[in-house]
Amino acid sequence: MAYNFKEVEKKWQKYWDDKESFKAITGDKKEPYYVLVEFPYPSGSGLHVGHVRSYTAQDAIARMKRMQGYNVLYPMGWDAFGSPAEQYAIKNHIHPKDAVKENIKTFKGQMKNLGFSFDWSREFSTTDPEYYKWTQWQFLQFYKHGMAYKDTIPVNWCPTCKSVLSNEDAAGGVCERCGAKVVQKEKSQWMLRMSNYAEDLLKGLDDTNFADKVKLGQINWIGKSTGVELDVQIVGGGSFSIFTTCIETVYGITFFVIAADGKLVKELMPRIQNKDEVNKYIEETAQKTNMDRTDLNKGKTGCEVKGIKAINPVNGKEVPIFLGDFVLGDYGTGAVMAVPSHDQRDFEYAKAHNLEMLQVIDGADTSNCAFEKTDYLGKGCKLINSEEFTGLTVEEAKKSITKKLVDKGIAREVNNYKMRDWIFSRQRFWGEPIPMIYCEKCGWQPMKEEDLPLLLPDVAEYEPTENGESPLANITDWVNTTCPCCHGPAKRETDTMPNWAGSSWYFLRFMDAHNDKEFASMDAMKYWNKVDWYNGGMEHTARHLLYARFWVQFLYNIGLVPNKEMIWTRVSHGMVLGSNNEKMSKSKGNVINPDDVVNEFGADTLRIYEMFMGDYQQDAPWSTDSLKGCSRFIDKIIRLKDKISDGEGYSKNLEALIHKTIKKVQNDLTTMAYNTAVSALMILVNTFDEQENITKDDYHVLLTLLNPIAPHITEELNEQIGFKPLCESSWPTYDESKTIDSEIELPIQVNGKLRKTIMISANADEETIKNAVHNEISSLLDGKTIVKEIYVKNKIYNIVVK
RNA sequence: GCGGAUGUGGCGGAACUGGCAGACGCGCUGGUCUUAGGAACCAGUGCCAACGGCGUGCAGGUUCGAUUCCUGUCAUCCGCACCA
């Protein structure tokens, strides 16, 4: 029995639009609740079934919370800056803003067809000048507080395309577009001092309710390690520092390794005897990505820096210095001490280059592999070959060696963080222009705030320049301007901001989306307080989410937002894979277009299916067969309407199940167990179906519980039986006492193996149960001795026999 | 390399703090109704040499009892700083 879902869905979508059913009112007396999904990048390929999964999940929460009496903010917008739009524009000679406008229209239409309860009155795009004005304004605040600076750093460069490449586009050291070999090129870039916030970003996690794996992801990305920075003298003058977390092995140093891309090797160059060899190695290193370089199996390359020796500060021993590509110029000090007996990477390097090794911690043989800290820490291992520290445990030695070196003034206890400053420049057209002006006389000057927004110019070509500058550099009447300071001739910064800029604060803008005086008013932000529930992909844990937290913490520190953390709960969804269990992609031909599914089966079917397909946080493959099961589920509910007969309240025999189901669905929706929520409703439907008759109230509670997931058909059926619209109704309540069964099926085990089950009364005493159990399984106990009996109330009865 | 996650029937997946493994759905088998079935309904469906035994990647361990806890091991997927 097919129903006309197209008509029904359109009808209710129109109703919600007309009534503004989902408009959130800032300042409303009801308790605020802010539900957020990551706003999409409106790509040319349209909404993905993966979007549908997370938007439906959050929609279900938003709809339930509204019925529970909250003032729910569930907004949607567009993260529309970025290189795909720019690439598309280069190819087709249209302005990216036109392509973006088209794409947004498509996305929005698709979302409307799916019935998401977004508050469309707060919609904006990061590419709107009214929005990016404030992104630029906030950049100026970073600059004015000393948080933005220019630095020269290496970028991936394709000499053929004359373009800066992302690591993704430069994967394998080859340009994705033209296949040319990618090289590293020095470029001056705007940076944000994010590393200043490393400790705060770590501590701030305590004030959030992020999922553990999200917290862990951030903690690892920040990568705090506590250790010692040690000064090392060079024979014949000069010095450098190394960072180590294993100072206890300092007597085992047999050589040092310095980064090929670091500053030290350049300083030493005049004194190096084998310049040719060293330069050649530096060049080779420049062509490798960090990942290639730190890979253990590839980490043995390098060469000695001849003519220069370093002095081990603890014992005055002269040891050689090597170049190695596993040492990164931009992590730590760009130099490491090498203790081959106690670090596997050093060990392999030493073997490959035939270098000396010296064991300084006792407890394992180090002739075939290193005895590393993971194996010796906390095991009471003692030092050997370490002068006055010989005989101390590793833990004691760590402290006393550090103390000695610190007292001597040649070492410092420091925290080191893997997280680096944020490279904020992009040599692209389609991003927020960085509102900075360069004057020969006055240097870098910020634009005046009242001159914002600095608009992207309208031009026809978006090709980058010969030397890899943003296409903006070609637009001379835009570039040439006057210095805000001396009013002389000056040039604009032609780099733009990264895509992450606009998405770092959009959730604040949703709180006060059309404010033209401030990025958002303090009152509005205080009212909404925090994003209560933020959903996004796990892949954004280390990037977007961390950038956003950094941005907010900075705004908090300068008094512009009410909380240091503006996001309370962060959860992540799994991907929707193709039916072949692989990531959906055009090339694999396994892409499912949500429009097709909505056309053939309706939005409600798609929504139920995507909630039912599996654990929300886990990837799940698409199955059109399973989708049909959800279509049948709806048909079954429609047929149930014919069973409605007179009668008030819940049917007596259904009451317990109904109360249990309310509890189950409510709990499941708040713990993202959407699949079992649907399953519980299927069980309820199956049970209703077994009845001769059901009451209107039985049916109504079913429709209410399913409404957050399948809003259209439930509204329609609900109207047909004469109730007011569900979007204006309340969530049902359950009575805990009615969810408890009076009779329980008790499993009986003998020696841990299930033998029988018996029905018992939930409040029966143990003696009664024991008798019943023995009575039931007496034949199985014949000739056996009972060793032990275990009864777990209302759970299990286990008898151990010999 | 670093970091994260996952492994349960033919398939997607359930199983609360250790307590009936396989809920729910798909698929499949047989039947009813029907001009018809990509509709609905009824019965069945983990595996095997089936009154019993075996089963949650693999090998051990703890326990009266392990998908769940511990040790080791194998495999797969994802992220890694200019893709969003």
Side-chain angles (χ1 to χ4, degrees):
Chain A
M1 183 171 72
Y3 70 106
N4 190 338
F5 52 79
K6 281 185 187 159
E7 207 171 277
V8 168
E9 289 175 358
K10 275 282 154 296
K11 169 182 163 185
W12 287 99
Q13 284 158 13
K14 185 168 184 306
Y15 181 93
W16 299 324
D17 267 350
D18 291 349
K19 297 265 167 152
E20 297 188 313
S21 301
F22 310 124
K23 194 165 173 171
I25 312 293
T26 301
D28 192 277
K29 276 202 223 61
K30 285 193 261 179
E31 200 182 325
Y33 196 88
Y34 186 174
V35 184
L36 183 68
V37 276
E38 281 173 352
F39 62 163
Y41 174 78
S43 73
S45 42
L47 205 67
H48 187 275
V49 284
H51 291 118
V52 178
R53 194 181 193 192
S54 51
Y55 299 170
T56 305
Q58 295 295 84
D59 195 43
I61 291 163
R63 285 174 180 271
M64 178 178 72
K65 285 284 176 186
R66 278 191 207 99
M67 285 198 262
Q68 289 173 336
Y70 290 87
N71 178 25
V72 172
L73 171 55
Y74 186 37
M76 181 44 70
W78 316 102
D79 187 18
F81 276 128
S83 61
E86 181 168 329
Q87 293 307 320
Y88 185 79
I90 290 172
K91 237 179 164 175
N92 301 291
H93 301 282
I94 59 162
H95 197 291
K97 81 177 175 199
D98 296 327
V100 160
K101 209 170 152 190
E102 262 319 290
N103 291 345
I104 287 177
K105 209 177 131 198
T106 308
F107 268 69
K108 191 171 175 180
Q110 291 178 300
M111 288 180 185
K112 290 252 180 181
N113 286 341
L114 283 154
F116 298 130
S117 65
F118 295 130
D119 176 359
W120 287 107
S121 73
R122 292 171 190 253
E123 175 191 5
F124 61 81
S125 166
T126 53
T127 56
D128 296 340
E130 301 77 40
Y131 181 82
Y132 74 69
K133 167 184 177 173
W134 295 110
T135 311
Q136 291 172 329
W137 184 85
Q138 289 171 77
F139 176 83
L140 290 182
Q141 308 314 308
F142 277 106
Y143 180 78
K144 288 173 183 174
H145 288 84
M147 290 290 289
Y149 66 100
K150 273 227 154 179
D151 195 16
T152 304
I153 58 146
V155 294
N156 298 314
W157 171 255
C158 172
T160 314
C161 302
K162 301 202 165 44
S163 171
V164 179
L165 300 178
S166 67
N167 280 350
E168 191 188 47
D169 291 339
V174 173
C175 174
E176 229 258 317
R177 265 166 255 155
C178 72
K181 216 166 179 189
V182 175
V183 297
Q184 301 291 303
K185 183 178 168 169
E186 297 280 311
K187 222 161 179 352
S188 172
Q189 308 267 34
W190 284 103
M191 310 282 288
L192 295 188
R193 290 192 201 279
M194 193 161 166
S195 54
N196 284 8
Y197 277 68
E199 198 59 43
D200 283 344
L201 288 170
L202 271 182
K203 285 209 191 95
L205 289 172
D206 295 340
D207 301 324
T208 72
N209 184 39
F210 294 176
D212 284 344
K213 62 176 176 181
V214 174
K215 284 190 180 180
L216 201 58
Q218 297 219 336
I219 289 167
N220 286 322
W221 183 265
I222 294 168
K224 178 177 183 172
S225 55
T226 303
V228 175
E229 195 177 277
L230 177 65
D231 299 331
V232 178
Q233 299 298 317
I234 296 169
V235 178
S239 71
F240 62 93
S241 301
I242 57 107
F243 173 79
T244 179
T245 57
C246 308
I247 196 68
E248 64 275 10
T249 63
V250 69
Y251 284 90
I253 296 176
T254 53
F255 59 104
F256 288 92
V257 185
I258 64 175
D261 57 338
K263 297 190 168 93
L264 181 61
V265 66
K266 285 181 195 136
E267 283 168 32
L268 295 174
M269 197 56 85
R271 296 155 66 184
I272 295 174
Q273 288 169 0
N274 55 336
K275 285 197 186 68
D276 289 350
E277 194 187 356
V278 167
N279 277 322
K280 187 165 166 264
Y281 187 71
I282 291 173
E283 219 168 277
E284 282 168 18
T285 303
Q287 307 210 343
K288 296 182 197 167
T289 66
N290 278 2
M291 226 181 303
D292 290 335
R293 290 172 54 179
T294 49
D295 190 327
L296 187 63
N297 302 316
K298 300 169 190 162
K300 296 166 212 159
T301 66
C303 69
E304 187 175 355
V305 179
K306 287 189 178 141
I308 300 175
K309 298 255 186 231
I311 303 166
N312 185 340
V314 287
N315 55 13
K317 206 165 127 185
E318 289 185 13
V319 296
I321 300 176
F322 279 75
L323 280 180
D325 60 8
F326 66 88
V327 179
L328 304 177
D330 53 6
Y331 176 68
T333 60
V336 299
M337 64 182 209
V339 184
S341 296
H342 301 287
D343 181 287
Q344 190 60 26
R345 210 162 40 181
D346 296 349
F347 180 90
E348 285 173 22
Y349 194 94
K351 279 273 185 224
H353 298 266
N354 222 349
L355 298 164
E356 191 194 342
M357 304 194 191
L358 177 64
Q359 183 165 1
V360 290
I361 292 164
D362 201 17
D365 177 43
T366 60
S367 48
N368 291 318
C369 70
F371 182 34
E372 295 197 277
K373 64 177 164 186
T374 46
D375 300 316
Y376 66 64
L377 281 177
K379 307 254 167 75
C381 293
K382 289 182 173 160
L383 267 67
I384 51 175
N385 300 325
S386 300
E387 297 181 355
E388 75 256 41
F389 302 102
T390 297
L392 295 185
T393 65
V394 169
E395 287 72 18
E396 290 162 348
K398 219 183 229 307
K399 277 191 206 135
S400 32
I401 294 177
T402 303
K403 187 172 185 306
K404 180 181 169 183
L405 295 169
V406 170
D407 288 349
K408 269 174 87 175
I410 56 165
R412 296 150 301 278
E413 281 189 89
V414 293
N415 292 323
N416 208 8
Y417 301 91
K418 281 207 193 91
M419 187 181 75
R420 309 199 282 269
D421 280 347
W422 180 358
I423 305 165
F424 201 69
S425 293
R426 299 291 183 272
Q427 288 70 46
R428 302 278 173 204
F429 171 80
W430 193 231
E432 301 90 340
I434 294 177
M436 297 295 294
I437 292 169
Y438 186 74
C439 168
E440 291 290 343
K441 238 167 60 193
C442 314
W444 281 106
Q445 292 297 323
M447 270 179 72
K448 290 209 172 79
E449 290 179 9
E450 57 267 31
D451 292 339
L452 298 177
L454 171 58
L455 295 173
L456 271 171
D458 284 329
V459 288
E461 296 299 323
Y462 313 99
E463 308 281 355
T465 68
E466 275 294 291
N467 55 3
E469 299 302 333
S470 147
L472 289 173
N474 284 332
I475 308 167
T476 42
D477 41 333
W478 184 84
V479 172
N480 292 323
T481 183
T482 50
C483 172
C485 186
C486 71
H487 305 290
K491 285 188 190 303
R492 291 193 192 282
E493 172 59 77
T494 59
D495 284 358
T496 55
M497 299 189 200
N499 191 269
W500 311 107
S503 58
S504 286
W505 69 281
Y506 76 109
F507 45 92
L508 304 175
R509 185 68 176 173
F510 279 138
M511 295 176 175
D512 192 8
H514 305 297
N515 192 330
D516 57 2
K517 305 279 184 296
E518 305 163 88
F519 67 84
S521 79
M522 190 55 101
D523 281 350
M525 288 189 282
K526 277 188 175 156
Y527 174 76
W528 291 107
N529 188 40
K530 280 184 182 188
V531 176
D532 289 281
W533 190 316
Y534 189 19
N535 178 88
M538 211 38 212
E539 70 276 19
H540 290 130
T541 300
R543 314 292 305 285
H544 157 64
L545 189 60
L546 204 57
Y547 288 138
R549 290 184 56 230
F550 162 60
W551 199 284
V552 163
Q553 287 202 355
F554 168 72
L555 293 178
Y556 175 79
N557 286 345
I558 61 170
L560 297 180
V561 296
N563 304 304
K564 197 163 183 178
E565 299 288 342
M566 291 294 286
I567 298 165
W568 174 237
T569 294
R570 166 76 183 198
V571 296
S572 65
H573 55 260
M575 271 186 292
V576 178
L577 303 173
S579 52
N580 56 353
N581 242 305
E582 290 180 74
K583 214 169 164 170
M584 280 191 192
S585 77
K586 273 189 195 143
S587 59
K588 290 195 181 110
N590 59 355
V591 177
I592 298 290
N593 181 345
D595 289 351
D596 297 342
V597 182
V598 170
N599 271 326
E600 199 179 342
F601 299 95
D604 284 331
T605 299
L606 176 58
R607 292 173 57 125
I608 293 172
Y609 171 59
E610 292 218 26
M611 291 301 92
F612 184 61
M613 69 196 308
D615 180 345
Y616 179 67
Q617 303 196 64
Q618 228 58 60
D619 294 350
W622 180 267
S623 159
T624 302
D625 276 338
S626 291
L627 173 90
K628 286 176 189 163
C630 296
S631 186
R632 273 176 225 160
F633 173 55
I634 292 178
D635 290 344
K636 211 171 196 179
I637 292 171
I638 295 170
R639 283 198 306 270
L640 276 181
K641 192 160 70 82
D642 299 338
K643 291 195 186 244
I644 296 176
S645 69
D646 296 341
E648 288 290 306
Y650 301 144
S651 302
K652 263 272 155 304
N653 55 330
L654 296 172
E655 198 179 29
L657 180 64
I658 288 172
H659 282 272
K660 267 196 254 184
T661 308
I662 297 170
K663 182 181 178 182
K664 173 86 177 146
V665 170
Q666 187 175 315
N667 284 346
D668 282 356
L669 290 186
T670 43
T671 54
M672 297 185 297
Y674 305 99
N675 53 340
T676 49
V678 174
S679 152
L681 289 167
M682 285 173 169
I683 293 169
L684 187 68
V685 165
N686 290 344
T687 313
F688 281 10
D689 200 35
E690 288 161 14
Q691 313 300 313
E692 275 299 305
N693 298 300
I694 56 171
T695 68
K696 254 187 193 181
D697 290 311
D698 295 334
Y699 196 60
H700 178 246
V701 75
L702 164 68
L703 297 177
T704 313
L705 292 174
L706 182 61
N707 175 263
I709 294 173
H712 310 89
I713 187 63
T714 48
E715 283 285 16
E716 180 66 17
L717 294 169
N718 182 64
E719 186 186 64
Q720 287 174 13
I721 59 167
F723 285 87
K724 70 169 178 176
L726 291 167
C727 62
E728 290 147 30
S729 306
S730 308
W731 188 253
T733 51
Y734 65 89
D735 183 342
E736 185 68 47
S737 66
K738 289 186 178 154
T739 64
I740 297 161
D741 288 313
S742 54
E743 279 230 305
I744 286 164
E745 193 182 15
L746 184 77
I748 305 166
Q749 295 183 335
V750 177
N751 287 344
K753 293 213 165 81
L754 180 74
R755 290 302 175 215
K756 287 257 161 88
T757 61
I758 53 168
M759 295 307 293
I760 58 159
S761 154
N763 44 27
D765 62 279
E766 194 167 342
E767 197 55 36
T768 316
I769 288 165
K770 184 176 177 175
N771 291 335
V773 166
H774 281 256
N775 195 29
E776 185 70 26
I777 60 159
S778 55
S779 59
L780 292 165
L781 301 175
D782 279 349
K784 307 264 169 65
T785 322
I786 295 176
V787 181
K788 200 174 175 183
E789 293 184 53
I790 298 118
Y791 174 57
V792 183
K793 192 166 163 49
N794 295 347
K795 286 274 190 213
I796 201 144
Y797 201 106
N798 189 13
I799 302 176
V800 187
V801 298
K802 256 203 302 213

